[in-house]
Amino acid sequence: MTPEIVELGRSIRARDPARPSWFEVIFSYPGLHAVLWHRLAHRLWGWGLRGLARFTSHLGRMLTGIEIHPGARIGRRLFIDHGMGVVIGETATIGNDVTIYHGVTLGGLSLKPGKRHPDVADGAILGAGAQVLGPITVGEGARVGANSVVVNNVLPLTTVVGIPARCVGEGCLETPTVGYGLPAGEADPLGERMAAIEAELRALRAQLEQQRKAG
């Protein structure tokens, strides 16, 4: 456990622009504490002591504000910055050197047992409030913008933003477009439908006006 505390501390001090002291990192960084609580809970989970593992995870959540299911698999040097409100589901996997900001959810979209949560590859960054949902993969070195909702795979070394999240910048696959950066097809299905209803109302009003004049 001590070597991991040192490794986590060095990683946090290198990646946090606030450049915290060792005392700050060890005693006042909930992200570090959450990872250590998870290591214990995950080991208990692997031993089949699932009730005790969940209780340990619950204690970690109460103390840090970060909820990590004991079944989740987490690599080395995970940096959870600020951390409040982070939720990591049971079948999620996280690689090495990943950065997660507050309010991030690695959640599931299925009520059936089995793989339900995302895989986050080495070096990925998940911005504050990002919701990464379902058994998808966030590729190595990818970035997810704050408050994005991701329901499809994210290619390595790309950036996705928005609801639903779309790739922006270099490295994105070419997608059909109607111009002005808009995707082909219905960019806003509800807006398209409302516009059609308005057009029908205008046509009906025109017909009524013609009938009134004819009468």
Side-chain angles (χ1 to χ4, degrees):
M1 188 69 76
T2 300
E4 180 164 30
I5 294 174
V6 173
E7 184 178 55
L8 284 169
R10 285 175 177 164
S11 175
I12 291 170
R13 296 187 72 208
R15 291 152 69 183
D16 190 339
R19 296 296 183 266
S21 67
W22 274 103
F23 183 89
E24 291 175 285
V25 168
I26 292 174
F27 292 102
S28 60
Y29 266 64
L32 182 146
H33 302 158
V35 171
L36 297 180
W37 276 105
H38 175 70
R39 296 299 187 214
L40 175 58
H42 186 68
R43 182 167 296 182
L44 294 170
W45 186 267
W47 289 343
L49 303 174
R50 298 200 165 191
L52 186 56
R54 291 300 298 267
F55 179 69
T56 302
S57 174
H58 182 64
L59 288 177
R61 182 182 66 171
M62 288 194 299
L63 293 171
T64 66
I66 299 168
E67 180 176 345
I68 308 176
H69 192 285
R73 292 180 293 169
I74 293 178
R76 297 169 63 181
R77 299 178 296 277
L78 171 63
F79 179 26
I80 304 176
D81 199 7
H82 304 294
M84 183 62 70
V86 168
V87 177
I88 300 174
E90 176 187 1
T91 62
T93 62
I94 298 175
N96 300 324
D97 301 304
V98 171
T99 300
I100 297 177
Y101 289 89
H102 50 284
V104 167
T105 299
L106 302 183
L109 292 176
S110 173
L111 299 178
K112 298 179 181 179
K115 178 64 175 173
R116 308 184 304 283
H117 302 94
D119 297 328
V120 181
D122 297 350
I125 299 175
L126 308 182
Q131 309 297 299
V132 186
L133 307 174
I136 61 175
T137 299
V138 178
E140 184 174 352
R143 299 184 178 211
V144 176
N147 296 316
S148 299
V149 177
V150 185
V151 293
N152 294 304
N153 292 335
V154 180
L155 295 175
L157 301 176
T158 59
T159 299
V160 297
V161 297
I163 304 174
R166 292 184 174 88
C167 186
V168 296
E170 297 181 358
C172 301
L173 294 176
E174 291 293 330
T175 55
T177 178
V178 294
Y180 297 97
L182 296 175
E186 291 187 345
D188 183 1
L190 181 59
E192 294 282 344
R193 184 58 184 157
M194 291 298 295
I197 292 172
E198 289 178 359
E200 290 176 6
L201 285 173
R202 285 195 296 269
L204 288 171
R205 285 171 181 163
Q207 290 177 8
L208 288 172
E209 184 65 19
Q210 289 176 357
Q211 291 176 3
R212 186 182 66 81
K213 290 179 178 179

